[in-house]
Amino acid sequence: MPALDLLKTNSPECWFQSSASLLEAVVRSSEDAIITKNLKGIITSWNPGAERIFGYSEGEIIGSSILTLIPDDLRSEEDTILRKIQSGERIDHYETVRINKKGERLDVSVTISPLKDSSGKVIGASKVLRNVTERKNLERSVLQAEKIAATGKMAATIAHEINNPLESVLNLIYLAKTNASDPDQVVTFLNSAESELVRVSHIAKQTLGYYREHSAAISLALSELVRETLAIYEPKLTVSGIHIQTRFDCSAKITLRKGEMMQVISNLVTNAVHAMPSGGTITASVQEATDAGRPGLLMSIEDTGEGISPDSIESIFEPFFTTRNSIGTGIGLWVSKQFVVGHKGRIEVQSSVDPISHGTKMSIFLPFDNPYARELAKSDPL
Ligand SMILES: Nc1ncnc2c1ncn2[C@@H]1O[C@H](COP(=O)(O)OP(=O)(O)OP(=O)(O)O)[C@@H](O)[C@H]1O
Ligand SMILES: [Mg+2]
């Protein structure tokens, strides 16, 4: 009798039989791999979806260890999975790598649930596994293309900007050499050369992180990172008559490139300091938030400084836009934005030049699910 007809009968036995065969039909026709294993990690069932994804037939693989499908470098995952399953926990949609019969690595998304006997004792696990290699490859190439485009654009702009002061330095050295008989003139030329080089060095410092920090991201409490960065500036702030207030409503961890994010916080704090030459207050906050349905953390750095005029506000994230020609190069916010966008986050500004309630608030939203979190999850999946 077809499975659906069986469902129409009333007897509990028939119902049980019908739901069992219905379930079997679902398992057999699933595009996803559905695999069960016992607590020793031995495969006990294998559907056609698993055969399609991994290339092993049911007869070949049943009785083998699940480690057959796990690449050598990720084998420690299995112990963690088994420990979680034994304590009755479920693991939802975690992305990792498995290996097929040909030895090729596949990107997969796996959900693992404990299998229990009638007394509720855990006797094994069922895994539903989807091959996401194509999607991952696409994501990787888009990310790579974005990185190359961003790096190329940044390198071109910086090269252009560094070239001008370097040309002046060459000129000034030439002038110093040709006026060697006049020490006062030489000192004047060298002083000018020095200030040009200070500018070049500032640009290098602001952008260095971008190239240097290809190191893996880490999971950390953002509030701690803000605290740590503010502590670096504290002596300077105290001397400048700037008071710090913090509102850290959460200690949630998030995966970030620590160096990049420290650079972002430093840039915001430095801007706030420059906006308050006669002192004021910096308020730093971190809280949980959602942006377009994405959960994450919202960090803000607010000052009681002069504010940004409506004419400038549109341009502040553009490279080399500055109103502080003597002290700034105008790349702080541009670089910060690149870093935030690299984390799939958003940076926003609110500012007022009102004579009474002037000040600027920079807010940064960082989603928990960002490319670095995914990279980290891949190397340390559970
Ligand atoms: N907190 C702030 N208060 C007032 N103006 C600000 C603030 N932050 C940024 N700005 C404005 O935005 C401009 C661009 O800022 P950005 O940090 O990119 O460059 P900069 O501070 O001028 O130079 P750099 O950061 O390269 O040393 C600043 O010159 C200033 O006009
Ligand atoms: Mg700045």
Side-chain angles (χ1 to χ4, degrees):
M1 199 189 296
L4 282 174
D5 285 352
L6 270 168
L7 266 179
K8 289 178 197 151
T9 64
N10 289 330
S11 109
E13 246 162 73
C14 280
W15 190 88
F16 179 74
Q17 239 181 23
S18 65
S19 48
S21 41
L22 190 61
L23 197 63
E24 197 186 325
V26 171
V27 169
R28 293 201 70 76
S29 62
S30 168
E31 280 289 306
D32 294 340
I34 302 179
I35 305 166
T36 58
K37 63 175 183 186
N38 65 19
L39 287 180
K40 291 197 172 112
I42 301 298
I43 298 170
T44 50
S45 76
W46 184 258
N47 75 338
E51 178 166 347
R52 265 192 303 277
I53 292 175
F54 290 103
Y56 294 101
S57 70
E58 196 178 355
E60 256 177 311
I61 196 84
I62 287 190
S64 310
S65 164
I66 196 83
L67 292 177
T68 318
L69 311 175
I70 304 182
D72 288 347
D73 51 320
L74 293 176
R75 288 200 160 185
S76 58
E77 258 186 31
E78 185 54 15
D79 294 336
T80 325
I81 293 173
L82 281 176
R83 252 199 323 277
K84 289 204 168 204
I85 292 300
Q86 266 160 345
S87 62
E89 272 180 67
R90 186 185 144 97
I91 299 161
D92 262 325
H93 302 294
Y94 91 83
E95 295 198 343
T96 183
V97 174
R98 290 294 176 258
I99 203 151
N100 68 11
K101 191 175 174 183
K102 290 185 189 153
E104 294 159 343
R105 291 169 80 94
L106 309 172
D107 290 299
V108 295
S109 163
V110 201
T111 293
I112 309 172
S113 321
L115 282 178
K116 297 178 182 170
D117 65 10
S118 53
S119 67
K121 194 171 134 228
V122 178
I123 52 165
S126 77
K127 295 192 175 202
V128 179
L129 192 145
R130 176 163 296 185
N131 187 354
V132 293
T133 310
E134 267 179 36
R135 167 166 68 77
K136 283 292 200 184
N137 283 344
L138 194 67
E139 273 176 18
R140 269 193 286 268
S141 42
V142 169
L143 200 70
Q144 194 58 19
E146 277 175 6
K147 269 191 202 161
I148 291 170
T151 313
K153 199 171 144 206
M154 194 159 181
T157 322
I158 289 165
H160 175 77
E161 209 58 24
I162 284 182
N163 212 27
N164 289 344
L166 287 185
E167 266 176 23
S168 316
V169 170
L170 280 178
N171 260 334
L172 290 160
I173 290 176
Y174 171 80
L175 288 171
K177 272 167 51 183
T178 47
N179 288 280
S181 53
D182 182 349
D184 287 348
Q185 275 281 21
V186 170
V187 170
T188 313
F189 291 136
L190 289 183
N191 281 340
S192 303
E194 186 180 44
S195 67
E196 293 293 339
L197 287 179
V198 166
R199 179 175 161 80
V200 173
S201 138
H202 180 78
I203 296 176
K205 256 190 233 141
Q206 283 278 37
T207 51
L208 204 58
Y210 195 79
Y211 299 102
R212 186 186 47 197
E213 216 193 326
H214 286 295
S215 60
I218 57 164
S219 164
L220 49 80
L222 184 58
S223 47
E224 277 312 304
L225 188 68
V226 178
R227 214 188 289 279
E228 210 179 293
T229 316
L230 283 172
I232 301 171
Y233 285 91
E234 207 163 354
K236 188 174 168 187
L237 297 180
T238 315
V239 172
S240 317
I242 295 173
H243 173 66
I244 306 175
Q245 266 182 0
T246 52
R247 288 201 200 113
F248 296 143
D249 296 337
C250 87
S251 52
K253 287 194 162 184
I254 184 164
T255 303
L256 299 171
R257 287 188 159 179
K258 185 178 173 186
E260 287 187 1
M261 218 32 74
M262 276 182 100
Q263 202 169 329
V264 171
I265 302 164
S266 305
N267 287 344
L268 299 187
V269 172
T270 315
N271 283 351
V273 172
H274 287 145
M276 298 186 288
S278 29
T281 304
I282 290 183
T283 309
S285 76
V286 176
Q287 64 194 77
E288 288 205 34
T290 357
D291 180 77
R294 301 176 305 161
L297 295 178
L298 183 67
M299 162 176 84
S300 71
I301 305 282
E302 189 171 358
D303 63 60
T304 55
E306 64 200 11
I308 306 171
S309 77
D311 290 348
S312 307
I313 206 152
E314 293 289 312
S315 316
I316 60 169
F317 295 107
E318 281 170 19
F320 301 101
F321 173 84
T322 182
T323 56
R324 302 167 179 158
N325 281 312
S326 55
I327 44 169
T329 49
I331 54 173
L333 287 180
W334 178 51
V335 169
S336 302
K337 187 170 177 183
Q338 310 275 329
F339 291 158
V340 170
V341 170
H343 286 78
K344 294 277 175 254
R346 280 199 318 126
I347 181 165
E348 254 176 26
V349 58
Q350 282 170 283
S351 190
S352 165
V353 286
D354 183 276
I356 299 168
S357 59
H358 50 88
T360 300
K361 181 176 183 179
M362 303 294 305
S363 308
I364 292 177
F365 173 79
L366 298 165
F368 289 123
D369 181 18
N370 61 53
Y372 307 123
R374 290 187 192 170
E375 261 170 38
L376 192 70
K378 220 165 165 196
S379 54
D380 179 16
L382 294 169

